[in-house]
Amino acid sequence: GGHREALAVAIGQPFHPVHSCNAWDDESDGSRVQLLVSCWPPAAVRRLAFVGSSLLGSWEELRDGDFSGVPMTNLVRFEIDTRSERVISHAILADGAQLDHPKVHPRVHTRESRFVFATLGRHDNGGDEDATPRPPQSFGCVDLAAAGGSGELVDAWHAGPRRLVDEATLVAMAPADASEDVDERAVWLIAPIFDGETRTTSYVVLDGRRLSDGPVCELHLPEGTFVPWGLHGCWQEPASS
């Protein structure tokens, strides 16, 4: 396709985008774009602005297992009119489930997609846009075409007590026939799991077609080595000289 300058878009509501997932042209002339993003919802952003709190919240509280001060992250679909450079519609998907680090099959990036994989806490927001999140201990799969296009959580795997999941990498399974349509759930989901009880880290491999079956493989890091749950990385004190 063609190339164009970066487009700054007015959302119109105080969503706080966190992680983008996919985007595609919805019209042949490129005048409409569909965008999938994990976001903090307007009610949570307004609350944080009112009390003057950092959008990232308190990592000390998170470390102690208290997620109550952190916004719950939702999967949101935006429809963008590229001519007016505005969002003309938006929808929080899958009953407001707590979803972050959303991913789609690698072969459908920039194409219309149906299934999204993500880390998962609460399965819905209970009708409260500023609901209190839970620790992310699961991976879920959302069918965007379900529930009349509002999206529905159709599969999930829970890692277990005191185990926190983190951002996954999706690896496409080799298709039986390269000419076949993409099976968007035919992926290997590879991700780290931090066990807060044992202070250990393992990497799991999940079959995207049947998450609830659990890992097809789990590899543990060597004893005494672990990756703490955090925001894309961590700091380590320098060794004393």
Side-chain angles (χ1 to χ4, degrees), residues 33-103:
V33 172
Q34 297 286 333
L35 175 64
L36 298 173
V37 190
S38 64
C39 295
W40 293 332
V45 174
R46 290 189 181 101
R47 169 177 57 82
L48 293 176
F50 180 77
V51 300
S53 173
S54 164
L55 286 176
L56 289 177
S58 167
W59 282 101
E60 288 77 13
E61 293 174 359
L62 285 178
R63 182 189 60 197
D64 294 335
D66 181 4
F67 281 70
S68 62
V70 181
M72 195 164 101
T73 309
N74 304 131
L75 183 63
V76 182
R77 177 169 49 216
F78 296 102
E79 183 179 4
I80 299 168
D81 182 341
T82 60
R83 288 173 292 199
S84 66
E85 300 184 0
R86 299 189 66 83
V87 168
I88 58 176
S89 70
H90 65 265
I92 295 176
L93 304 174
D95 292 323
Q98 181 186 338
L99 300 160
D100 200 5
H101 303 293
K103 307 278 185 175

Side-chain angles (χ1 to χ4, degrees), residues 55-173:
L55 286 176
L56 289 177
S58 167
W59 282 101
E60 288 77 13
E61 293 174 359
L62 285 178
R63 182 189 60 197
D64 294 335
D66 181 4
F67 281 70
S68 62
V70 181
M72 195 164 101
T73 309
N74 304 131
L75 183 63
V76 182
R77 177 169 49 216
F78 296 102
E79 183 179 4
I80 299 168
D81 182 341
T82 60
R83 288 173 292 199
S84 66
E85 300 184 0
R86 299 189 66 83
V87 168
I88 58 176
S89 70
H90 65 265
I92 295 176
L93 304 174
D95 292 323
Q98 181 186 338
L99 300 160
D100 200 5
H101 303 293
K103 307 278 185 175
V104 297
H105 191 292
R107 288 178 59 193
V108 298
H109 284 146
T110 71
R111 297 165 53 190
E112 183 174 0
S113 51
R114 176 174 175 178
F115 293 99
V116 175
F117 297 89
T119 59
L120 173 67
R122 291 178 55 149
H123 287 211
D124 60 70
N125 64 9
D128 179 3
E129 193 181 276
D130 192 16
T132 300
R134 294 173 184 161
Q137 295 182 272
S138 303
F139 287 107
C141 177
V142 173
D143 182 352
L144 299 175
S150 296
E152 181 178 335
L153 186 67
V154 293
D155 197 5
W157 171 70
H158 187 268
R162 307 277 321 254
R163 303 184 83 202
L164 297 171
V165 305
D166 216 329
E167 184 173 4
T169 297
L170 300 190
V171 178
M173 297 180 181

